[in-house]
Structures are given as C-alpha cells and as structure tokens.
Amino acid sequence: MDPEFATLDRWWRAANYLSVGQIYLMDNPLLREPLREEHVKPRLLGHWGTTPGLNFVYAHLNRAIMARQQRMIFVTGPGHGGPGVVASSYLEGTYSEVYPNVGLDERGLHRLFTQFSFPGGIPSHAAPETPGSIHEGGELGYALSHAYGAAFDNPDLVVAAVVGDGEAETGPLATSWHSTKFVDPRRDGAVLPVLHLNGYKIANPTVLARIPEEELTSLMRGYGHAPYVVSGSDPAQMHADFSGALASCLDEIADIQGEARASSAPVPRRPWPMIVLRSPKGWTGPKEVDGLKVEGYWRSHQVPFANARSDKGHRKVLEEWLRSYDPDDLFDQTGAPAADVAALHPEGDLRMSASPRANGGLLLRDLRMPDFRDYAVTVDKPGTGSAEATRVLGHFLRDVMAENMETFRLFSPDENSSNRLQDVMEVTDRTWNAEVLEYDDHLAPDGRIMEILSEHTCQGWLEGYLLTGRHGLFSCYEAFIHLVDSMFNQHAKWLESTRRIPWRRPVASLNYLLTSHVWRQDHNGFSHQDPGFIDHVVNKKATVVRVYLPPDANTLLSVGDHCLRTKHYVNVIVAGKQPAVQYLSMEDAIVHCTKGVGIWDWASNDADGEPDVVMACAGDVPTMETLAAVQLLREELPDLRVRVVNVVDLMRLQPEKEHSHGLSDADFDALFTRDRPVIFAYHGYPALIHRLTYRRTNHVNIHVRGYKEEGTTTTPFDMTVLNEVDRFHLAMDVIDRVPRLHATSGAARERFKNALIRHRQYVRTVGEDLPEIREWEWTGA
Amino acid sequence: MDPEFATLDRWWRAANYLSVGQIYLMDNPLLREPLREEHVKPRLLGHWGTTPGLNFVYAHLNRAIMARQQRMIFVTGPGHGGPGVVASSYLEGTYSEVYPNVGLDERGLHRLFTQFSFPGGIPSHAAPETPGSIHEGGELGYALSHAYGAAFDNPDLVVAAVVGDGEAETGPLATSWHSTKFVDPRRDGAVLPVLHLNGYKIANPTVLARIPEEELTSLMRGYGHAPYVVSGSDPAQMHADFSGALASCLDEIADIQGEARASSAPVPRRPWPMIVLRSPKGWTGPKEVDGLKVEGYWRSHQVPFANARSDKGHRKVLEEWLRSYDPDDLFDQTGAPAADVAALHPEGDLRMSASPRANGGLLLRDLRMPDFRDYAVTVDKPGTGSAEATRVLGHFLRDVMAENMETFRLFSPDENSSNRLQDVMEVTDRTWNAEVLEYDDHLAPDGRIMEILSEHTCQGWLEGYLLTGRHGLFSCYEAFIHLVDSMFNQHAKWLESTRRIPWRRPVASLNYLLTSHVWRQDHNGFSHQDPGFIDHVVNKKATVVRVYLPPDANTLLSVGDHCLRTKHYVNVIVAGKQPAVQYLSMEDAIVHCTKGVGIWDWASNDADGEPDVVMACAGDVPTMETLAAVQLLREELPDLRVRVVNVVDLMRLQPEKEHSHGLSDADFDALFTRDRPVIFAYHGYPALIHRLTYRRTNHVNIHVRGYKEEGTTTTPFDMTVLNEVDRFHLAMDVIDRVPRLHATSGAARERFKNALIRHRQYVRTVGEDLPEIREWEWTGA
C-alpha cells in the first residue's frame, strides 16, 4: 500500500473493528483473550453492510479536511450504518467528550460495545444520540435535501452526503438531486454527494447498481452533476482512487464557488462534482458463512451471521473477522487508539462529529422581529370588513425576511404566491439557478423563497436548515401536506429525542402555514379536501407539537409572531387566504391568542347567567358560520342565551396533564359549562374534538360538526352545507339540542331548513352563493 | 398545413374550443350570437394552461390508434386539464354514451359547458366522472406509476402517460421513471411517457424546462429511455414533428416487444422510447391580456383572465379567442361536430375514453382461491405453540399466486422476505429487468413480486393494476406506510366517488398487510415506531375502509382470504411476523373473524354472571399481554371474574350507523357490559379506541393502553413496558379500576410492580427479555 495511505488504512480498519465490536461484543473488547460465548451479545441488532463504506468515506473526508482546513459535516443517508458513524466519532474523541463514560480506553471500549443497540444504551442508527448527526436515516430518502438545507447560507461549508443505493430508489431522494438548481455558489455552501453503490438492499439488488455505467453517469449528468466513479474492492487501489476523486471534487467546488464569488454578475450554472463509490456490501467482512456468499451480497445487510454466541463455528468466523483488523496493532495497551491513528483527525470544531453546524441549537440566534402589531388590519366592529389573512401575514413576513437575510427562508411547493405570501418578493426573490428568460420575474440564485413542486424537498430543505441553526416557514396547501406525514413523524421524533439529550441544544421550531384549506377547495374539488394533518400531528408527543387555528388576520399575525419565536416545536397554523370578514382588533387579538381560547362577549348574550347553549368554533370558516348561526338565532329566538367560544390554540382543549397548553378542568368548565349543550363547529374531522375533550366534565354534551368527506367542485358555502357545518345546520343543531326549544321552535327550524333548500336551488342554477351569504357581516343584535 | 393533418388540426381546434367553452360559458355555446355578459359563468374555475397540449397529444394518439388498431389508454398526469379530457371524450362520443343528457348537439353542448366545474355538475379535474380516466392527477406525481400498473400483464396495451413538467418535480414521479427496470416486454404492455414541458407551474418556471436540452435528454437516457424531442408552437410543424415522433415510438415499442416475444431466452433490456413535448403553456390562447403576457407564461395556468363576465374588454378577448377556433367550421347546424371531425376517432373499445381497461371493474374476475383452511396451523390448546403469522399467510399467498398468474401481484418496498412472504418465490420471482449476476436468486422479468425501495411506486403500481381490473396486496413496514398517506387519501376518494357513478364498476380492494409493526421495532428503534396509519385511514368514508388486527396465524388466514375476495375497499391488515403463541384453531378462527369481535371463553371466568372487569385487546402483542395479565390475575386473585374480549375487526367498535360493520349498542353492551371497567390493550395510539367507542354506553369506563411514543432500541417486551401496555401494567390497571380490589389487593399490586423492576434490571444487564416472558404460554387456570 502506498505509504501515504497506510495510517488512513489503519484508521479505517480501527473504525471497522469498532463497528463489528459494537454489533457483536459484550465483553473482551480488545480480544485479549480467546472469544468465548459470554463475550457475544445474546441479541444481535445492527447493520454491517453499509458500515465499512461509510467508514471509508469518513476517513478520506477527514484526511481532506486536515489537508485543506475545510469545514464539513457528514450526512449519513444509510443511517442504519450507526456503528460506523459512532465508531468514527469515537476515534475523533468527540464521543468521549459528550459521553465521558465512554472514554478512550479499554473500559470505554467495553461500554461503547455493550451500549450499542442494547436496552438502556443507544439506538443502532445514526440517531440524535450520535454526535455530528443531523440525519437519522431511519426512514430513507432525505439525505440530499437535508444536506442542501444545511448548506444554504453556509458559504464556507461542504456537506458530504452519502446516498445509499437503496435510498436512491425513493421518490424524495430521486427528485432531491435537482437541488443543484437551487444552490447559489456565491452565498451557499456546497453539497458533495457520494452515491454509495454497494449493490444490495435488504434482500434485493439495487436499481442503480444494475444499470450500465453509462446509463448511471448519464442520469447523474442529467441531474446537474459531473460524476467521478470509484469502483473496486482492493483497499490500496481504492484509497488511491477515492482520494484522487475527492481531491478533484473539492477543487472543483472551490473553483465553482471561486468563480461565482469573484464576479458580481451571475455566472452560468456549472455541473457540481459528485462521486459514485462502488464497493462491496459488507466490505472486509466474511466472504462466506456456512457456504453462503456474504461479502458483496445482501446477506451482509444486517448481522451477517446470527449464532456467534451459541454456535462455535460462527464464533470462530467472528473472531477471525475481528482479528483480521489486527486490534493489537490499532489500540495501545490501555485500549486507546494507537497514537498515529488517533492523530488522524481534524482538531476541535473541524471534526465532523463536533461541528456546531450539526448541533444547530449552539448557533441558533433569535430572529430580529419587527413589531407584528404594525401590520394589523383595522377592525372597527367585529364581524365586518374584509382581509386576506395570509396576505396580511405576508406583509409581516416580508419584514421578518428583510431583517434576517442570512438566517430565514420560506419554503413552498410552487404555492408561495397562491398562498398570498407574494409581498415577500419585495425584499427577496425565488431561489433559482437554472435558466432565466427575459419575462421571468423574481428569480435569482440568492433568492430566499424556495419553491420546487416537491413537498418532500421543501420539508427536507427546511429540516436541514433548522437543524443547522436557522429559521423558516413552510406554506402548503392543507390537503397535500399529508405528503410529508412520514417526514413530520421523523422530525417530531428527532425533536423529542433531542429534548432528552443534554448536549443537544434546542433548534428553531418547524412552522407550517396550511392554507388553501379544505373549506376553500371548492374549486379544485374532492381530491384537494383533507384537513387530517392535524390529527396526524397530535399523535406525536405533546412536548413538541402545537396547533393553531387563527380565525382572522390579526389573530394570524399574533400566532405567526409567536411561532417564529418558539423553539423545538412543530407549529401547525391553519389559516385562510381568501377575503373574509374580520373579528378582532389587534389588541383583542393579542388577548385572545394569549389565552388561546375565550368567550367572545360581543357575540354572546349570556352575560346575566349560564347560557342555554355554547356555540364553539375553531377555524376561520367554522367561526364565520357559527357567528352567522348566532345571528340567525338572535333574529328567530331572541330569548335564547348563546355563548360563543372561539378556539385558536387547539391544544387548550386537552387536559393540562396531557399537554402543557391544556386548560385546567375548572377553566374548561367555566368556558364550556358543566352541562349545557355545546355545538362545536370545527375546521377538520369532528372526531379530533372528541378526542381532545373526552375527559372533560361536559364531554357528553359536545356535538361537533366538521369535515366529513363530503365535497366536490362547488361554491364555498355549499362546501359547508354538504358537510352540515353551515349556519343553518348549526342553528338547527341548537334547536335540536336545547330541550326547551323543541316544542316552541318548530317554525324557526322550518325556516332554517327552507333557507337550505333555497340555497341549493340557487347555487345549482346560478353557480355562486346567495348574495346574503357572499356578503355576510355580523350585525350584532 | 400538410393536408394529411388538416382534419386532425380541426379536431384539435374543436377540442380546444370545447375546453375554453367549458371553462367560460354558461350559454351561447356555439357563439351563434355575440357574446353577452350573461353567457359567461359568474365563477370561473378551471385550468387552461395544460389543456391544449393534452388535446394535441390526444388527437395524435387517436390518429395512431386508427392507423394501427393499437389498444391504448390515456393517463393525464396534469389531471387539472380536465376540460381537455372531457372535450376529447365528448368528441369521441363516449361522453354522451355514459351521460345521455350531454348529447352531441347544441343542447348537449350547452350542458357540457354549464356542468363543468359548476355546483351539481362535474369536477374540474380528470376526475372519476371522466370516461377513460384512471388517474385524477389532483395530487401530482403518480402518472407513470399508475401507467405502469395498467400496463403490467396487459401485453397488447400501450399506456400513453402525459407527465406534466410540474409533476415531474415531485419525488414519486422522479423515481417512477425507473419502472423501466420492472416492465417485461414479453408479457407486459408498454408505457409511452410524454413529458410535456410547457415551461411553467402555477407561478414559477419548471426545473426540467429550464435545463439545457442535453442535460434533459441525458436524464431521460439515465432513466432508461430513448427520448424524442418535439419542440415549437407552429401547429403545422408540430403536427408533422409529433406524428413522426409518435410513429417512431410505437414502431420501437413494437420492435422491443417483438424481439422479446420472438425469443424464448431473456433479451437484454433496451431503452424505451419517450417523447419530450415542448409547447407553450396555454397554447393557442390569448397572447396578452391587459398588456400582460399570457400564452407561454404562468398566467395561463388556470383561468387566463377573470373578468370576462363583467369586463367588456375581457369579454371581447374571450370572444375573439373562441372565434379563433372557427366554431362554425367545426360544428354543424345541430351543434354536432362536423362529420369529418367526428369521424376522426377509433371505434368502440378502441376509443381511449371507452377502453374497458380504464373502467377496470368491467374486466374484474374473482381470484381463483385455494381453501385457506388448508394452510391452518394446528392449535391444540389456545395460547401455546409458535408460528410466524405472515409466513403462514405466505404459504396461502403462494398458492393464490400460482392460481392467478395473470391477475395477481405482490408489492413491497424490498420487504417481501423481511415480511416473511418469501414462500411465494416458490412459484414466481421478483420482477427484475435490470442486470442479473450469477449469484442472484429469484429475479426475472416476468416475476410477480414487485419490489422497489419506493413505497410511492409500489402503491402507484398497485393502484394502476387494480384500477384496470386486477388484484394485489401491498406488504409494508407499518411505520413507513405513512409515506403513502396522501396516495391512500386519493385512492380512497376515488373509490368513494366511483361508488356514486353508476357506469363505473367496482374494482378489487386495495389490501395492505402491515407488519414489522410498532411492537416489533425494538431493533430499529424509535424512528420505526408508528402505528398511526390506522388513524389516518378511518378519517375516510366508512363505505370504503376496513381495518383488521388478527391476533395469530389462523385469524390472519381467515382475514386475508376475506380481504382478497372483497371489492372496492381499502383493507388494512396489521399482523405480526415474529414467532408467537397461537390462540385459535382454524374452526375457531373462522367463527371469531366472522364475528369480528368476541369473548374468548377459554380465557374468561365470568360464565356465572357479569364480570368484574373486561380485558379487551386488539392486535397480536396486546392480545398476548392481555392474556398474560389475566394469567397473573388468575394466580394472584382467583376470585376475580375476568372476561376477555378480542377485537379482530376494528370497525365493529363503531356505532352501526357510522360503519356497516358496527355493532348494535345492544351487542356492544353484551360484550363490554354497561358499567364494568374495561381495560383495553390496543395495538396503536389509544385515542382511536376512544374515538370509535365514545358513543357507547360504557365508554366512560373504558381505559385504553397503547403506543404513546415511548420507544427506543430495546427488547420486544421492554417496548410494551415503556408504553405501559405490558402484562404487569395491565394487571395493575385492573386492580386500580375494580373498586372492591383497592383495599384487598395491595400485596398483589406490589408483586406486579416488583416484577416490572426485576424486568428492567434484567433487560438492562442481560440485554434480552426474562426467560419466562420470552417463553410465555397460556396455562389456563
């Protein structure tokens, strides 16, 4: 072997040894005695196949970092290769710094091995517990979008992202290659993808490993890359080839960035370098076990052979495998890595495992915030006027953007303007580094509004951006946010896990603005109607999720301001974008949002005692329908005492012991009474309100209306009628639920019913809503 | 214009005219009088931008179909181009056949226009209401996976799939190009993708339209295609170019298939032809409106100008635009399409809008089913023995496969074997048309087990396969099925919509087998633990969703057999793959599954009257823990009367008026009592059980245990302990909930608590579960 690579190779062997040790060993970590049954873990849980490749790449990156003093972080697409990244961070000393119990000696090694994938120990993946990780890779597909998120606005950073060839088959990964058209060589860092073709997934070959090389490189060029292919299994040759390719890549990155940064004019987009690394799955592991192929085959994916504890033959294979790395040569008498190996890593923050970029909370600074009250809509009288709530928020976001031009971005799947946030374009552009035509507007490489028609990529970019210490907001059509249900799961779990890890610092919250919501998808129809993301979100830990339904512009401003200031949550905001009546002045909105739920006195007439009925509402359209119903009831049944309760912060409905925002039972009862009927008009699927309130005293009397999967292409009001959450149905519900009205209010009920019939006739003939509904305003009473 | 294309061009103009008419007109459909205000719809809802391109492609396909008598169907990736596909199916006569009210005359035209995107009319997208559609395209990304699903096992079919350039940015679409490695030219039909680059999405340019052509064609070649590029805006030239490209594509498809079909040996994979069509967005529409660019720009995406009713200038633009197609030339005096235009479509079933393949229920035949009872596991005594439930199902599926080798497929993201369905490989292989190495096993172009590491592609293929009249099953890790939450939404909505459309026939159910479930993700850890897909599913209409939790192998066989026989549902089956104790003989399993929920007498001791407590359970692991708890209680508190209720069919818990499977209140009360405490151990998030049962008499006494987002890498039993659904917690719950035990059972409770402490110590030291838990069997009492 070229002496240049001799120590590097020893580091690699050490990392591989440590990886196998983690997967298999309970004791005898340095093999200072023959391997016995009791040295092997009783349950073997971990993934070997991808690990030697990860270790190989990591070692070479370290060499390059040292040579160039280049800041880098490492994104482990095949995150199940946890043993590898743990091993590397241990060799770098970082592991012992954050976990002093796992020291660089035999005792530390013993603990390193036993804790791995062991009850009370650490997970088997590149989990939050792993220093240097911003990417668990438990669910595959997001390595590149996370990597780009990390690279944005980090001009001195190179993010090395290993993409597994299994992962490369996922949709989100397949499109995230196109991030090449959204990265600015002048202002952003770079991503260096390493597509690791080890040929197999769990049980099948991988697609990209089994197409002709020309087809593969054609694909990569099509994605905007200039690929280097490094292929083989002989370590000496592979060290030479990979280090050469890596040096070329880093030179090219520097050249692309240098050219862009030297010029004040835009420079044409150039292909970014990337590496295709073709190496055997389970490289350096046993070639065969029990006569069956293991190295270079899917059998090495997880634990290559399972009976090393009880089966003598398997134990012999394991011992030979471990000794093939020559531990006596790699570790000194105390069990510490040999001095030359231990020296082969960058210092301090330059270690990828110790980069503050990979523990973003360390770098997080609060946003500089304009005063949201300055953007208020004037509301002289509740239930009047007209404003597009998200457009008003857009004014505010424009100035948030202007004051935070290096740490704040907006993300949207081609819906930023459709969602009415276009005013932000007064201070920045849409990010775009592909071709621009003369009549295009607001496209620029350094734009900060990130639009690609891929919710997955938007979410992945944003996650990477947040996890490296910055801020952002994702606006999306409500129905299609379900595309990232699973990504949300992973991020929420990451937040929950890191809450429990002292050295991880809180990051900025992930803020969703869901608009173009179910009640305003009358034009796109049934396929665009689904308010269930909220249900999905509340299945996650109450410690990390919050849901807000501001009913108008000023409440949206207040909620938006709050969410942008919070840390370590997922905030879901559902708000309207269509012109709508406004309810609260800024002052009232602040009070209401601070309480999260409250009685609207101006719409209630129960001041002199208990109400006959509580009309509760959450969401802009249900709120309007509720108030319209109250108005109808006021006209028809003036003696009826109605209390209107509006809910902004949905988590207030939960018991206080289940969510920190939860109302006490006494407070809940004070609002919703202990025994009066509650007609609750809710934005989403009705079951959620029952779920949140089922432990409350008055639950049995809560009657919820919401979306029940009735919808088509129709008018806005007709959407509410189809789902029986319209004013007439709500008013009839009141009559049906307040016993003393049963006998006396038949005529009123009949008039509500007739109004519905009149509506249906009108809308089917004229094609739009009745004028009195289109132009409805609260008249009080 | 080349006379060869003159009539074709007239067809195209007619389709465009009909499209604009649908978007804009209420009346005066043939412009036989000047356009007045009242002729224009008051609300304009529809998408113009993509429509002329769709009409162009459709017309050319028709020409080719007529020339070649080639069976084709049309998948409209940009499904929002509904006006186009409706117009084409109207010109083909199909529309009037299925909707006789919309005839081929002026009155029919009037109705065609007014109904579009109008309350009580039809949706604006290529919805289920559209003849010939198997793909709504409301949510973008699935055009190609649906197209391939339709092509599998349809050797004489070519599926033309228009991929929008916005859609092409989605992850699912980006990876679905790789379907080229999963289609068999011998046995399957072909997919002809037409990547339609019209340059813009809602408000942004598209990525693929703004990369150099060389990069684009390189990308397509990398995906396994040989691209033809047709680019321009001059109709005459475009007709010539496109028809030439299309002819070449169909020739090449025939050649590829011919070569494969002529040989008995496998032939090397060849690039499949595809077309890149670059044409202006809103082609043939107004070039400018109010001085702003419209044609060839994002402004033409939806309604190019909005005030055609009230604004005279806009109305003039509209009238000129409509007259530019020369309606007098295109329609005769009665309003029917001119005879030569009307003749320009294939006959009968060859019309893409009338293809039975696009109304799969017409072709659906029941599966030939082996007798599932023949695969039963012998269970001599309940709660003993050991079997891997999904492996047992795999035996059965092997023979289902063997008997249905042209109409049944399995789909899985590289998990078919991991999910223990590998026995199916005895009769078929994994589908694979990429490179095969000598040591690969069970890979073949005509394999029927479809594995790609993309849940999106699996789901899309399966949907396409079902919608064209065939059967299938999708097995997936439970946590990651959330990746297709949104696809499930769209499919469930499709099923619900088609239930209401008389000419649509029911298709086979979409069957999910979710295994590697939350309680057995102790090895992969927290990121792999999420049982929430069930919650997501039950938000959809009760008419189309069913959820089953068979607790052992024989119940899984019974449920699996049932689901494969059903039509037009989404069936979710959650089952275990690990060795586990068995409860029911085949005979008992059939009875139990038929009832869906029932008392397990052999585990209950309340025969002489009302129980003190009901121990309910749903799911394999909760069932085992419940029985183990009963056993503990039997030992400690032999006088306690315990009733064990097991739930297989989760929908039985709902009121009968909410789901057709729902138990009557009387039946529910008979099982769960009216007032006794119920300790319910549930597989998923506890809230769902409350949601399903909150209207039941005894709801207030139902105490649910389930997954509460506590998990990590640990042992199987420890997973239940972390979430308090283990035997000891359940037994303590009983003591806490049965008042008469409070005073007397302190010592027993203490022993359960101590057992938990002993477990935690053992598991953290030894790394596996206590032997008595690993080897637990029901001993009765």
Side-chain angles (χ1 to χ4, degrees), chain B residues 483-499:
Chain B
L483 281 160
V484 299
D485 275 3
S486 210
M487 296 184 79
F488 155 80
N489 277 351
Q490 299 299 316
H491 189 72
K493 282 175 181 275
W494 180 280
L495 293 179
E496 176 60 22
S497 293
T498 51
R499 280 184 65 248

Side-chain angles (χ1 to χ4, degrees), chain A residues 733-754:
Chain A
D733 283 341
V734 169
I735 292 174
D736 295 344
R737 302 268 159 173
V738 177
R740 75 169 174 84
L741 300 180
H742 293 181
T744 59
S745 306
R749 200 183 188 290
E750 199 61 22
R751 281 190 286 276
F752 299 147
K753 208 170 162 185
N754 288 336

Side-chain angles (χ1 to χ4, degrees), chain B residues 280-478:
Chain B
K281 185 152 187 152
W283 194 11
T284 74
K287 300 226 177 302
E288 284 195 357
V289 180
D290 301 335
L292 296 171
K293 185 173 174 64
V294 173
E295 191 197 33
Y297 204 45
W298 56 260
R299 281 196 196 89
S300 61
H301 177 74
Q302 204 168 355
V303 178
F305 49 97
N307 300 326
R309 188 172 164 106
S310 54
D311 181 310
K312 241 178 155 170
H314 279 192
R315 201 157 64 245
K316 185 153 172 277
V317 175
L318 174 60
E319 184 162 359
E320 284 172 4
W321 176 15
L322 281 162
R323 292 202 189 278
S324 75
Y325 299 118
D326 197 358
D328 291 338
D329 174 51
L330 302 173
F331 300 92
D332 68 18
Q333 267 311 310
T334 68
D340 62 329
V341 170
L344 202 73
H345 64 74
E347 291 302 310
D349 281 4
L350 276 178
R351 294 172 298 177
M352 295 189 288
S353 59
S355 171
R357 259 76 172 227
N359 184 5
L362 291 174
L363 302 173
L364 184 66
R365 296 292 171 269
D366 289 347
L367 288 169
R368 287 182 288 274
M369 296 286 276
D371 189 334
F372 69 97
R373 291 169 293 196
D374 296 343
Y375 305 84
V377 170
T378 303
V379 180
D380 295 327
K381 193 169 159 299
T384 61
S386 175
E388 296 158 304
T390 58
R391 188 187 286 268
V392 174
L393 183 73
H395 301 161
F396 174 62
L397 291 174
R398 174 197 61 202
D399 294 349
V400 175
M401 180 66 82
E403 296 196 25
N404 300 277
M405 290 289 273
E406 292 179 346
T407 55
F408 182 67
R409 292 193 184 217
L410 294 179
F411 300 79
S412 181
D414 188 34
E415 295 159 4
N416 191 67
S417 294
S418 172
N419 292 335
R420 307 279 194 274
L421 303 181
Q422 64 269 59
D423 288 349
V424 183
M425 291 194 289
E426 292 172 19
V427 300
T428 188
D429 296 311
R430 272 99 51 117
T431 321
W432 190 256
N433 204 8
E435 187 188 6
V436 176
L437 303 179
E438 44 160 351
Y439 38 81
D440 285 326
D441 64 315
H442 292 103
L443 301 176
D446 68 351
R448 310 186 63 76
I449 303 167
M450 310 216 56
E451 299 203 69
I452 183 172
L453 212 166
S454 165
E455 285 79 358
H456 298 109
T457 307
C458 290
Q459 170 94 14
W461 284 342
L462 174 54
E463 288 177 357
Y465 199 63
L466 298 176
L467 291 170
T468 48
R470 284 78 63 79
H471 304 261
L473 181 140
F474 182 1
S475 84
C476 189
Y477 280 26
E478 184 184 39

Side-chain angles (χ1 to χ4, degrees), chain A residues 518-519 529 615-616 621-626 629 632 678-686 703-712 714-734 736-737 749 752-753 756-757 759-760, chain B residues 500 541 657-658 695:
Chain A
V518 57
W519 302 110
Q529 297 161 1
M615 304 280 286
V621 168
T623 296
M624 181 171 76
E625 292 308 311
T626 294
L632 291 169
V678 178
I679 310 297
F680 199 128
Y682 170 54
H683 171 83
Y685 295 103
H703 174 65
V704 187
R705 293 288 188 184
Y707 184 66
K708 50 179 189 175
E709 289 286 321
E710 292 291 337
T712 180
T714 185
T715 65
F717 181 66
D718 199 43
M719 274 297 300
T720 67
V721 174
L722 293 175
N723 291 282
E724 304 185 343
V725 69
D726 62 282
R727 55 199 69 182
F728 304 116
H729 277 103
L730 294 176
M732 290 192 293
D733 283 341
V734 169
D736 295 344
R737 302 268 159 173
R749 200 183 188 290
F752 299 147
K753 208 170 162 185
L756 277 172
I757 293 167
H759 148 74
R760 293 244 76 192
Chain B
R500 308 180 187 197
K541 278 281 180 192
K657 69 171 193 184
E658 297 193 358
R695 291 185 201 275

Side-chain angles (χ1 to χ4, degrees), chain A residues 42-43 45 47 117-120 123-125 136 138-139 142 166 169-171 174-175 178 181-182 200-208 210-212 215 218-219 221-224 269 293 297 302 414 430 432 434-435 437 439-441 443 451-454 456 480 482-483 485-486 489-490 493 497 500 522-524 526-530 535-536 539-541 685 687 690-691 694 699 707-710 713-716 763-768, chain B residues 42-43 45 47 117-120 123-125 136 138-139 142 166 169-171 174-175 178 181-182 200-208 210-212 215 218-219 221-224 269 293 297 302 414 430 432 434-437 439-441 443 451-454 456 480 482-483 485-486 489-490 493 497 500 522-524 526-530 535-536 539-541 685 687 690-691 694 707-710 713-716 763-768:
Chain A
R43 292 181 81 225
L45 310 172
H47 293 79
S117 209
F118 199 87
S124 67
H125 292 208
E136 177 152 2
E139 175 173 293
Y142 317 119
E169 292 175 18
T170 67
T175 201
H178 288 301
K181 274 70 82 178
F182 296 86
Y200 289 90
K201 298 168 285 193
I202 301 179
N204 278 285
T206 60
V207 171
L208 295 189
R210 295 299 182 85
I211 61 177
E215 217 167 283
S218 184
L219 185 67
R221 283 196 304 275
Y223 279 133
R269 180 172 59 90
K293 184 172 174 65
Y297 205 46
Q302 204 169 355
D414 188 34
R430 273 99 51 118
W432 191 258
E435 188 188 6
L437 303 180
Y439 38 81
D440 285 326
D441 64 316
L443 301 176
E451 299 202 69
I452 183 171
L453 212 166
S454 164
H456 298 109
F480 299 138
H482 275 300
L483 282 161
D485 275 3
S486 211
N489 277 351
Q490 299 298 315
K493 283 176 180 273
S497 293
R500 307 179 187 197
D522 46 279
H523 61 302
N524 278 313
F526 195 41
S527 65
H528 284 52
Q529 297 161 1
D530 186 297
D535 304 67
H536 180 69
N539 272 342
K540 289 288 164 284
K541 277 282 180 192
Y685 295 103
H690 290 295
R691 167 178 179 169
Y694 81 92
H699 175 238
Y707 184 66
K708 50 179 189 175
E709 289 286 321
E710 292 291 337
T713 309
T714 185
T715 65
V763 85
R764 281 166 174 261
T765 320
V766 181
E768 55 182 357
Chain B
R43 293 182 80 225
L45 310 172
H47 293 79
S117 208
F118 199 86
S124 68
H125 292 208
E136 176 152 4
E139 175 173 293
Y142 317 120
E169 293 175 18
T170 68
T175 201
H178 288 300
K181 274 70 83 179
F182 296 85
Y200 290 91
K201 298 167 285 192
I202 301 180
N204 278 284
T206 60
V207 170
L208 294 190
R210 296 298 182 87
I211 61 176
E215 217 168 283
S218 183
L219 184 66
R221 284 197 302 275
Y223 279 134
R269 180 171 60 89
K293 185 173 174 64
Y297 204 45
Q302 204 168 355
D414 188 34
R430 272 99 51 117
W432 190 256
E435 187 188 6
V436 176
L437 303 179
Y439 38 81
D440 285 326
D441 64 315
L443 301 176
E451 299 203 69
I452 183 172
L453 212 166
S454 165
H456 298 109
F480 300 138
H482 275 300
L483 281 160
D485 275 3
S486 210
N489 277 351
Q490 299 299 316
K493 282 175 181 275
S497 293
R500 308 180 187 197
D522 46 280
H523 61 302
N524 277 314
F526 195 42
S527 66
H528 284 51
Q529 297 162 0
D530 186 298
D535 304 66
H536 180 69
N539 271 343
K540 289 289 163 285
K541 278 281 180 192
Y685 294 103
H690 290 296
R691 166 178 180 169
Y694 82 92
Y707 184 65
K708 51 178 188 175
E709 289 286 322
E710 293 290 339
T713 309
T714 184
T715 64
V763 84
R764 281 167 174 260
T765 318
V766 181
E768 56 182 357

Side-chain angles (χ1 to χ4, degrees), chain A residues 493-513:
Chain A
K493 283 176 180 273
W494 179 280
L495 292 179
E496 175 60 23
S497 293
T498 50
R499 281 183 66 248
R500 307 179 187 197
I501 300 170
W503 57 269
R504 288 267 182 199
R505 306 306 307 146
V507 296
S509 297
L510 196 163
N511 300 305
Y512 292 105
L513 174 66

